[in-house]
Amino acid sequence: MRGVTIMSGTATAVLLLIQIAAAPARADTMEAALLRAYQNNPQLNAQRASVRATDESVPQALSGYRPKLAATASSGGQFTNELVRIPGSKIEEGSQGPHAAGATVTQTLFNGNQTANKVRAAESQVSGAREGLRLLEQSVLLAAASIYMDYLRDAAILEVQRSNTRVLEETLRQTRQRYGAGLVTPTDVAQSEAQLAAGRTQELAAEATLTTTRANFRRIIGNEPRQLAPASPVDRYLPETLRDAADIALAENPSVTSAMYGIDVSFLNVKISEGALFPTVSLQASVQKTSQQTITQVREFSASAVAQVSIPIYQGGAEYSLIRQSKETADQQRFNLEQVRDQARADLITAWGQLLAGKAQIASSQAQVEASEIALLGTRKEATVGQRTVLDVLNAQQALVNARVALVTAQHDRVVASYAVLSSIGRLSPQLLHLATPVYDPSVHYYQVRDNWTGVRTPDGR
């Protein structure tokens, strides 16, 4: 009966772990972990900075609409010795300090719509960069949810292995007592010792795995894991059917939408390249004031306004090659979109299948645990009356350990799969998860810099 009592402690090990983790005063939650990852993940912050840098491509393109102003000034010394061969003239010599100042304004009036197309291409690049940021946000949140569940799983498995080691130690002690009483053979003792050694090896392996998971938890979420509360799936945010999920994924998955903006950019690049074949019309106005250019010329002021038309006829053929190249790039982007759509659909189907399998695995694993507990209890009772051997008991014990590990793993896979499905349809976001954090809005910086004509400081003062 003593052996039966020990196994009852083992059977409740995982449940006790969950109860301790669920204590509100001490537990960390999945939502809090996702919030920290969203706010502090360095990879995500770097991508946000990249999007802000991409925003600057729009004012750069808009500069093509604006005039260009240049000012010039010169000053120096000059010595002149002038001989004029005219009767009655004389040699003049002297020195003066010539000065000149001027300004030129140039305004492009037409350049084959290159400026307009560059602006639209830059805006599409900004939109694509935002989708890339949204993709990384989802990747970070999915990684955070996965590592959170990894830690819960590995901590529970370690507790199972520790409990198994304690039970095996007690089993070995009892087997040695029975061997001393002549009830078992040395083989039974050796089998108990071997199983205990294997149990300790499994415990050490579980500790090593948990150490690695702890380091990854710190890398992704930003703090050391302490007491973690159990997490639940996010099925309430998922579509009811796979077909509905596929329709949403093909429309909202950030990989797909980013590829769509890539097609827009490549199409506009073709138009920009074709614009090089059109005439360029510009207006240039200039003023200049000079003084003491020569001994006899004291001061001069000039002003001009010139309209200029430049018609490209042949530039060596580079412009034609660039047009053809842009068209091939546009075709590449269209094929890339199809590839991305296929990949998004495949990822969704994989995640959906894992979600369904996880639900079934939990039910079967729970049944396996219950049956293994009953089998171990019966084996121990039969062993006390000589109907079972020590090896039978050890095998039943290991079967229960394996069943509990399988149950913990299935629970982990079930939750992670639900987050993976939400990510594959493009809806894993802090807004949908109701995380208590301000949501980063990339459009704020965009409108802060879009119409800036001057200034070197960033909107945050750098």
Side-chain angles (χ1 to χ4, degrees), residues 121-164:
E123 291 171 342
S124 294
Q125 288 175 341
V126 169
S127 299
R130 292 179 184 177
E131 293 305 297
L133 174 60
R134 193 163 68 90
L135 176 62
L136 186 59
E137 286 177 350
Q138 295 198 144
S139 298
V140 169
L141 291 176
L142 179 58
S146 298
I147 198 64
Y148 187 96
M149 294 305 302
D150 288 351
Y151 189 85
L152 284 178
R153 176 199 61 196
D154 296 341
I157 290 176
L158 176 58
E159 185 61 27
V160 169
Q161 297 297 347
R162 285 174 176 171
S163 298
N164 180 51

Side-chain angles (χ1 to χ4, degrees), residues 233-299:
V234 288
D235 293 359
R236 58 190 180 279
Y237 302 127
L238 301 180
E240 295 183 358
T241 65
L242 178 58
R243 181 182 296 274
D244 293 339
D247 292 339
I248 295 173
L250 295 179
E252 299 183 19
N253 187 294
S255 297
V256 176
T257 52
S258 178
M260 290 179 177
Y261 285 118
I263 290 179
D264 294 340
V265 172
S266 61
F267 173 78
L268 291 168
N269 284 336
V270 173
K271 296 299 181 182
I272 293 171
S273 300
E274 292 175 344
L277 302 179
F278 287 81
T280 299
V281 181
S282 61
L283 178 65
Q284 185 179 82
S286 63
V287 294
Q288 186 170 10
K289 180 181 180 180
T290 61
S291 61
Q292 297 184 6
Q293 294 295 311
T294 66
I295 295 176
T296 58
Q297 180 181 351
V298 179
R299 185 180 299 107

Side-chain angles (χ1 to χ4, degrees), residues 172 183 185 190 200 215:
L172 176 59
L183 299 177
T185 66
R200 287 173 176 168

Side-chain angles (χ1 to χ4, degrees), residues 168-399:
L168 292 175
E169 289 173 348
E170 181 63 21
T171 301
L172 176 59
R173 188 188 66 80
Q174 292 178 358
T175 302
R176 286 173 175 171
Q177 287 180 348
R178 296 179 67 190
Y179 173 71
L183 299 177
V184 296
T185 66
T187 302
D188 295 320
V189 176
Q191 289 172 341
S192 297
E193 291 174 345
Q195 193 71 11
L196 176 59
R200 287 173 176 168
T201 299
Q202 293 172 349
E203 180 182 346
L204 292 173
E207 288 179 351
T209 300
L210 184 61
T211 299
T212 302
T213 303
R214 183 181 292 109
N216 289 328
F217 190 100
R218 173 68 176 80
R219 174 179 60 86
I220 295 173
I221 295 181
N223 67 292
E224 294 291 336
R226 292 180 176 84
Q227 205 70 33
L228 303 186
S232 59
V234 288
D235 293 359
R236 58 190 180 279
Y237 302 127
L238 301 180
E240 295 183 358
T241 65
L242 178 58
R243 181 182 296 274
D244 293 339
D247 292 339
I248 295 173
L250 295 179
E252 299 183 19
N253 187 294
S255 297
V256 176
T257 52
S258 178
M260 290 179 177
Y261 285 118
I263 290 179
D264 294 340
V265 172
S266 61
F267 173 78
L268 291 168
N269 284 336
V270 173
K271 296 299 181 182
I272 293 171
S273 300
E274 292 175 344
L277 302 179
F278 287 81
T280 299
V281 181
S282 61
L283 178 65
Q284 185 179 82
S286 63
V287 294
Q288 186 170 10
K289 180 181 180 180
T290 61
S291 61
Q292 297 184 6
Q293 294 295 311
T294 66
I295 295 176
T296 58
Q297 180 181 351
V298 179
R299 185 180 299 107
E300 180 182 6
F301 177 82
S302 63
S304 65
V306 179
Q308 183 176 357
V309 179
S310 175
I311 302 175
I313 298 176
Y314 185 71
Q315 308 296 323
E319 65 275 25
Y320 301 105
S321 176
L322 187 58
I323 292 172
R324 296 192 302 268
Q325 183 184 48
S326 300
K327 289 180 179 179
E328 295 295 345
T329 302
D331 278 344
Q332 177 189 4
Q333 290 297 327
R334 281 191 285 268
F335 290 126
N336 180 63
L337 174 60
E338 294 303 318
Q339 179 183 0
V340 170
R341 282 173 171 167
D342 291 340
Q343 186 63 54
R345 187 184 295 107
D347 292 342
L348 169 63
I349 294 173
T350 300
W352 192 274
Q354 291 173 344
L355 179 61
L356 297 180
K359 295 177 181 179
Q361 288 171 357
I362 288 178
S364 61
S365 297
Q366 288 174 338
Q368 182 183 0
V369 169
E370 294 173 359
S372 297
E373 289 175 347
I374 296 173
L376 178 59
L377 179 61
T379 301
R380 285 189 172 275
K381 289 182 177 180
E382 292 171 0
T384 58
V385 296
Q387 294 180 346
R388 293 282 185 172
T389 64
V390 173
L391 181 59
D392 293 332
V393 175
L394 294 175
N395 289 338
Q397 165 68 15
Q398 186 60 45

